[in-house]
């Protein structure tokens, strides 16, 4: 079965950086686009970034554009999110999710999710 396991969350000061990872198994990772979605405390889900199956096309939400970079290593079945210039409003549980197709989109039809990793941005 599809399994997505996130790691790399933690406490970081404003302006700092973190890299999240998502280890994928149970499906042909290189055939599907992948997304990062976050949920801030007390708020709904917010799509963050998406990458196509080949890793050469990415999309980012405006609120993270220029600060976050999504990437993937298909040889390692791993998805990444490099987060720089972090702000307190980036505090959230970050989820890795699988698209049902190969093309990068804004996460409208994600069909598998990880358990999430908490990122806290605070001084």
């Amino acid at each position: 079965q599809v399994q997505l396991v996130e790691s790399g969350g933690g406490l970081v000061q404003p302006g700092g950086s973190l890299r999240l990872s998502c280890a994928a198994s149970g499906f042909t990772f290189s055939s599907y686009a992948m997304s990062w979605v976050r949920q801030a405390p007390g708020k709904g889900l917010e799509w963050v970034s998406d990458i196509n199956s080949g890793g050469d096309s990415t999309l980012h939400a405006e609120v993270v554009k220029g600060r976050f970079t999504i990437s993937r290593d298909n040889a390692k079945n791993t998805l990444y999110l490099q987060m720089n210039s972090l702000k307190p409003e980036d505090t959230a549980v970050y989820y890795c999710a699988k698209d049902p197709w190969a093309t990068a989109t804004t996460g409208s039809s994600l069909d598998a999710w990880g358990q999430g990793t908490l990122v806290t941005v605070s001084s």
Side-chain angles (χ1 to χ4, degrees):
Q1 70 278 18
V2 174
Q3 190 169 15
L4 301 170
V5 180
E6 301 93 337
S7 61
L11 174 64
V12 62
Q13 292 187 341
S17 297
L18 277 178
R19 189 176 81 154
L20 305 183
S21 299
C22 172
S25 61
F27 65 105
T28 306
F29 181 72
S30 59
S31 294
Y32 294 94
M34 298 291 296
S35 275
W36 287 99
V37 179
R38 69 185 182 184
Q39 186 169 29
K43 297 191 176 181
L45 293 171
E46 178 184 32
W47 171 79
V48 174
S49 301
D50 200 285
I51 186 167
N52 72 336
S53 59
D56 58 352
S57 178
T58 62
L59 295 171
H60 293 86
E62 285 298 322
V63 293
V64 305
K65 198 171 289 185
R67 300 188 298 121
F68 291 11
T69 302
I70 189 172
S71 63
R72 65 193 296 162
D73 186 335
N74 285 343
K76 296 183 177 179
N77 287 355
T78 303
L79 177 72
Y80 303 102
L81 185 67
Q82 177 67 44
M83 304 185 295
N84 299 328
S85 302
L86 282 160
K87 305 175 181 180
E89 52 264 43
D90 294 318
T91 294
V93 176
Y94 284 73
Y95 298 94
C96 162
K98 173 185 167 291
D99 288 269
W101 41 60
T103 304
T105 63
T106 55
S108 58
S109 299
L110 303 170
D111 62 3
W113 297 72
Q115 84 290 346
T117 186
L118 176 63
V119 172
T120 302
V121 184
S122 175
S123 54

